[in-house]
Amino acid sequence: MFDKVLIANRGEIACRVIRTCKRLGVRTVAVYSEADADAMHVAMADEAYHIGGAAAADSYLRGNAIIEVAEQSGALAIHPGYGFLSENAGFARTCADVGLIFVGPPAKAIEAMGSKSAAKAIMEAAKVPLVPGYHGEDQDDAILAEAAERIGYPVLLKASAGGGGKGMRVVERASAFADALASARRESKAAFGDSHMLVEKYLTRPRHVEVQVFADTHGGCVHLFERDCSIQRRHQKVIEEAPAPGMTPELRRKMGEAAVNAAKAIGYVGAGTVEFLLDEDGSFYFMEMNTRLQVEHPVTEMITGQDLVEWQLRVAEGGHLPLSQDELGVDGHSMEARIYAEDPDRNFLPATGTLRRLRFPVEEPHVRVETGVREGDEVSIYYDPMIAKLVVWGEDRNAAVRLLRQALGEVKIAGLSTNVDFLASVAGHPAFMEGDVTTRFIEQHQAELLPEKGKASARVLALAALHVLVKRGDEARQAAAASADPHSPWAQTDGWRLNDDNHHELYFIDDGEEVCVTVHYRGDGYLLEVPQGEGRAAAELRAAGETDHNGDLLADVDGVRIKAVVSQHADELTIILHGSSHRLAVFDPAMRAAGQEAGTGRLTAPMPGKVVAVMVKEGQKVEQGVQLLVLEAMKMEHTITAPADGTVAAIHFAAGDQVDDGAELLSFEVVEE
Ligand code: ADP
C-alpha cells in the first residue's frame, strides 16, 4: 500500500478518504484554500499545505500547485475525491507524466465520458440503450430547435459538459425553446466554460437508477449493484438508496451487464458509475458515466460491506479487485440523505452562514454521519453547500426508512436554513415509504412536502419565551455573583419588581407579525399567556425550564417534559423540536423605528452573486411574473421576477456586476388597484 496519499479536495469527501487512509496506515496530505485554513480536513490530515485563495479556481483547481505539493511532501498518489479535478483528463495525464499515481481512471477514459454527447456516441456503438435525442456537433439554434421538434416535446436541454443538474432545462413547448436554450447555454458557459448542448426526449415518470462499477488494470471488471437516486430537486439528488426498490434479479443482471459493457468499452479502471433512466415499462437508457467516486457511494458500501475508497487505493497501486462478481452480494437496505444549507421554501436556493449549532445522531454501525464541518464553521459562497450526509442501514427497506426518519429527527442545525425538515417530510411520506419513487417525486408531492410554514404553535412560543427567561436568569445570577451585594433586590431573578403585579411582556416577530407573550412569575416557574392559532387567541401554559450542559433547553410545558434546541444569534431565534424547526425574532418594542413598513418595492439579491442578465429597462411597465433580472450564484441562475403588475423605477446594477447579499437590485413601483 502507498506510504502517503495527497487528497486534492476538501469537505466531507476529503475527510472520508482520510478516514480510510488512517485505517490502512497510509499517511495523508491535505491541501487547503485561504478560506479553509481551519477546516476539518486540514485538522484530520497528517500534513496540510496552503495552495491559494478561496475561489476554487485559485486553489482546489490549481493542478500544478497540487502536483508541486505532492512532490514536496513525498506523496506518491493523489486522490481527487469528486468534483474539482476528479474528472479533469488533463490533470490525470499530468500526474501520470510526472510519475504520480492519479487515483482514478486513465485520462483517456475520462475524456471519453467527459462530454455527454461523445459518451453517447461510444455507448451507441457498444449497444448500450440510449434515450432518443440529438447529440450532434452542429450547435446552430435552428438545428437544435429542429431536433427538438423531431424528438417531440417535452424535451430536455442538457449541457454536454454538464454535471450537478447545471445547464439543464425542461422545455414543454416550441415557443419556450429559444429562451430556455439561451439560459441553459449561459449557465453551462459559466459553470463549465463550454456551452455545447444536447437535446433529449424528456421522460415524464422515470427513475434514476445507477450502477456502481469497478475495474482493475488486469482486465477485471465487476458491478456492485444499483442505487436508486430518484429523489431529486433541481435535477440534483437529495436521497439515495441501495438496492433500488422493486428491483428484480433479471433487471439487475441486465443493467449490471450493460454497465460493465459500458466500462469495458472505454478501457475503464477504478470506481465509476453508469447512470440510467429506468422507464415505467422496465426499459432503461444510458444517461452518462461518472468517472469517479460518487457522493452517494456509502449506500453501496453499506449493502456490500466493502470500503470503496480502499478498493480505489488497491486498484490504483496495481492490485486485483478484492472480490469477484460471484463473491459480491446484497445484504439489507441502505439510505443516504444529503443535508444542505439551502431554503426549500425558496426553491431550494443555496444558503450561506455560520453553523451556530451543529449536532448529529451518535454514530454507530448502522448510522453513519459523513461531514467535513464542525459547529462554528462557515458555509460560504465558495463551495458546495452540502453540510453532511446521513447514511443508515436496515435489514429491509422498511427498517432503513424508519431509521432514517429517526436519525433526521436527531439532527440539530441552527444559524442558517437547511433542508433537514424537508428531508424528514420526504422520509415520512407514504409514497416514499412504499418505494413509489420517480424523479418527479418532489414536484408531484410538493404540497405535502413543503407545507406553508405558518405561525408558531403555542408550544414553540412558550419555548422561545422560556429561552429568553432562562437566559436572563443566568445573566442576572452571573451579575449578582460578580456584584458587591449579592443580596440586593436588583439581583433577584424571580421577576421581583417594586410596585409591580409580577408580570411582564416579551415580544417576538413571527411570520411577519408582532406577537406578545405575557409572563407571570410563579414560585416554581412561569405562567405564560401565549397567543395561538390564526386569530392568535391567548392560551395559558405553565412553564419551567433550564439549560443543560449541552446548551439544550430542558423544559416542562403544562406537565410535558420537552428537550429542545433554542439557538440565538443577535435577535434571531431558531427553535428545533423533534426534527422540525421554527424561526422567530426577539423584538424590543422600545427599539421600534417609526414607519418601517414593508412593501417598499425594493427587490433585493437573495444571496451574493453576479448579475448575468437584465431583461428590462428603467421606466418599463411589466406584468406580475415577468422576468426582470438573472443573478448567478453558486454557479446557478436565479431569476428575479416582478412581484406584481408595476413599473421598473430604477435598475441599480448591470450585467457583469457583483452584488452582495441583500443588495437592492431594482426599485419597483406597484400599480395600485
Ligand atoms: P448531471 O450530469 O447534470 O447530473 P444527468 O444527465 O445525470 O445530469 O441528469 C440529472 C437528472 O436529470 C437525472 O437524474 C434525471 O432525474 C433527470 N434527467 C436526465 N435526463 C432525463 C430525461 N431524458 N428525461 C427525464 N429526466 C431526465
Side-chain angles (χ1 to χ4, degrees):
M1 186 49 69
F2 306 108
D3 230 23
K4 216 181 213 187
V5 170
L6 182 150
I7 297 105
N9 215 301
R10 64 180 301 283
E12 67 91 16
I13 190 61
C15 299
R16 160 76 192 86
V17 174
I18 294 173
R19 258 198 302 279
T20 290
C21 289
K22 281 188 190 294
R23 188 172 59 73
L24 299 175
V26 175
R27 283 184 297 156
T28 51
V29 180
V31 290
Y32 64 94
S33 72
E34 212 167 279
D36 277 341
D38 298 317
M40 183 162 159
H41 76 282
V42 174
M44 276 177 78
D46 295 315
E47 297 166 50
Y49 294 76
H50 177 236
I51 49 164
D58 299 332
S59 48
Y60 299 106
L61 289 174
R62 290 184 60 214
N64 289 338
I66 291 170
I67 286 173
E68 250 172 59
V69 171
E71 286 171 341
Q72 205 182 328
S73 64
L76 291 180
I78 298 185
H79 194 303
Y82 54 71
F84 297 132
L85 295 168
S86 62
E87 290 177 291
N88 184 315
F91 180 69
R93 189 163 285 125
T94 313
C95 286
D97 288 349
V98 300
L100 286 166
I101 292 172
F102 176 77
V103 182
K108 273 215 311 264
I110 302 180
E111 258 156 15
M113 291 294 142
S115 145
K116 283 187 213 248
S117 41
K120 295 214 164 178
I122 297 173
M123 289 304 130
E124 208 162 28
K127 304 223 159 19
V128 180
L130 299 184
V131 192
Y134 171 81
H135 41 89
E137 275 307 308
D138 198 334
Q139 291 289 300
D140 192 69
D141 288 18
I143 300 272
L144 294 176
E146 228 174 80
E149 210 56 61
R150 197 171 50 246
I151 296 161
Y153 285 93
V155 298
L156 186 65
L157 277 167
K158 268 188 194 179
S160 186
K166 285 167 201 138
M168 201 184 270
R169 295 288 183 280
V170 180
V171 194
E172 300 284 351
R173 64 193 82 76
S175 61
F177 189 82
D179 281 351
L181 179 63
S183 161
R185 274 186 177 146
R186 240 184 354 245
E187 193 170 286
S188 175
K189 182 85 190 158
F192 315 109
D194 175 291
S195 57
H196 194 110
M197 287 288 143
L198 46 98
V199 191
E200 266 177 20
K201 174 88 201 145
Y202 183 63
L203 305 181
T204 47
R205 272 183 62 84
R207 285 166 60 184
H208 174 120
V209 177
E210 58 184 34
V211 178
Q212 175 73 55
V213 292
F214 236 106
D216 62 21
T217 48
H218 309 281
C221 185
V222 298
H223 70 84
L224 288 94
F225 316 106
E226 77 285 350
R227 294 184 283 259
D228 189 311
C229 313
S230 299
I231 305 294
Q232 307 180 341
R233 44 102 184 88
R234 287 193 324 231
H235 304 299
Q236 258 190 305
K237 305 159 185 170
V238 274
I239 296 185
E240 302 100 338
E241 59 183 298
M247 180 54 87
T248 62
E250 174 60 13
L251 185 56
R252 173 174 293 150
R253 191 186 52 74
K254 280 208 286 199
M255 292 184 82
E257 268 174 18
V260 167
N261 286 343
K264 284 184 173 163
I266 55 164
Y268 202 73
V269 177
T273 294
V274 184
E275 297 189 333
F276 297 103
L277 284 175
L278 177 60
D279 213 350
E280 285 171 288
D281 62 1
S283 23
F284 59 90
Y285 306 101
F286 171 82
M287 221 174 358
E288 64 167 343
M289 178 167 183
N290 290 323
T291 53
R292 53 171 162 82
L293 198 65
Q294 299 271 93
V295 177
E296 60 274 19
H297 75 276
V299 294
T300 299
E301 298 186 321
M302 298 298 265
I303 60 158
T304 57
Q306 302 302 309
D307 178 336
L308 297 191
V309 174
E310 177 176 350
W311 277 49
Q312 283 190 297
L313 295 174
R314 297 214 179 279
V315 165
E317 61 166 3
H320 284 92
L321 290 174
L323 295 176
S324 67
Q325 193 68 61
D326 292 343
E327 291 168 320
L328 283 160
V330 174
D331 179 23
H333 204 101
S334 178
M335 294 201 167
E336 172 182 283
R338 302 190 192 184
I339 299 171
Y340 280 99
E342 66 183 18
D343 189 349
D345 295 323
R346 291 202 290 166
N347 196 23
F348 303 96
L349 195 68
T352 55
T354 305
L355 293 158
R356 303 211 174 270
R357 177 64 75 109
L358 183 65
R359 302 290 158 89
F360 293 117
V362 179
E363 287 206 72
E364 34 136 335
H366 296 171
V367 180
R368 246 167 91 174
V369 179
E370 298 283 343
T371 187
V373 287
R374 297 153 302 193
E375 199 163 281
D377 283 354
E378 195 80 26
V379 176
S380 72
I381 56 161
Y382 298 110
Y383 314 112
D384 187 86
M386 189 167 77
I387 298 169
K389 306 184 305 203
L390 204 56
V391 187
V392 300
W393 180 92
E395 271 175 7
D396 54 26
R397 190 172 187 277
N398 222 321
V401 178
R402 267 184 289 135
L403 194 51
L404 182 67
R405 283 165 55 189
Q406 180 177 327
L408 280 166
E410 287 169 35
V411 175
K412 294 178 177 123
I413 304 175
L416 37 66
S417 310
T418 76
N419 64 344
V420 174
D421 295 2
F422 172 76
L423 292 170
S425 346
V426 174
H429 194 281
F432 180 79
M433 296 202 285
E434 274 164 30
D436 184 10
V437 293
T438 73
T439 58
R440 305 288 283 274
F441 184 92
I442 290 174
E443 204 180 319
Q444 216 166 8
H445 300 289
Q446 187 133 12
E448 299 116 87
L449 297 174
L450 291 165
E452 292 264 324
K453 271 277 182 211
K455 304 186 187 327
S457 64
R459 180 178 278 186
V460 165
L461 282 171
L463 290 167
L466 260 181
H467 162 83
V468 173
L469 294 164
V470 169
K471 197 168 133 227
R472 283 189 190 169
D474 290 348
E475 282 164 9
R477 260 189 298 279
Q478 277 165 17
S483 93
D485 177 11
H487 302 294
S488 150
W490 306 112
Q492 297 246 349
T493 60
D494 59 1
W496 182 90
R497 292 286 186 282
L498 221 51
N499 299 329
D500 195 320
D501 71 345
N502 241 20
H503 78 270
H504 79 258
E505 272 117 30
L506 296 176
Y507 291 88
F508 299 95
I509 303 279
D510 174 46
D511 198 24
E513 275 176 22
E514 184 181 322
V515 292
C516 169
V517 175
T518 308
V519 182
H520 301 270
Y521 292 83
R522 296 285 181 267
D524 54 351
Y526 310 96
L527 183 70
L528 304 177
E529 281 176 54
V530 184
Q532 64 170 358
E534 278 308 309
R536 305 246 191 198
E540 286 197 350
L541 295 173
R542 282 175 291 111
E546 59 183 3
T547 32
D548 70 4
H549 60 280
N550 270 325
D552 291 345
L553 180 64
L554 301 180
D556 186 319
V557 180
D558 257 359
V560 181
R561 293 287 186 99
I562 304 168
K563 184 167 170 174
V565 169
V566 183
S567 164
Q568 178 166 10
H569 176 59
D571 295 339
E572 222 184 84
L573 293 183
T574 308
I575 296 110
I576 308 176
L577 192 62
H578 303 307
S580 83
S581 60
H582 199 97
R583 282 179 162 200
L584 293 172
V586 188
F587 169 63
D588 180 351
M591 304 283 280
R592 186 193 336 236
Q596 232 186 34
E597 279 308 90
T600 51
R602 288 158 37 92
L603 290 175
T604 55
M607 57 194 313
K610 190 169 108 186
V611 176
V612 290
V614 181
M615 281 93 150
V616 287
K617 295 198 180 62
E618 284 187 1
Q620 189 173 332
K621 288 193 171 46
V622 293
E623 284 177 14
Q624 177 174 11
V626 164
Q627 303 191 345
L628 303 177
L629 183 148
V630 180
L631 193 68
E632 183 210 293
M634 291 181 164
K635 300 208 173 73
M636 276 182 341
E637 289 197 351
H638 307 286
T639 306
I640 310 289
T641 56
D645 294 357
T647 309
V648 180
I651 301 171
H652 305 300
F653 293 95
D657 289 348
Q658 287 288 341
V659 295
D660 287 334
D661 191 5
E664 181 174 359
L665 301 168
L666 302 135
S667 317
F668 191 80
E669 276 163 17
V670 177
V671 176
E672 298 297 335
E673 291 296 314

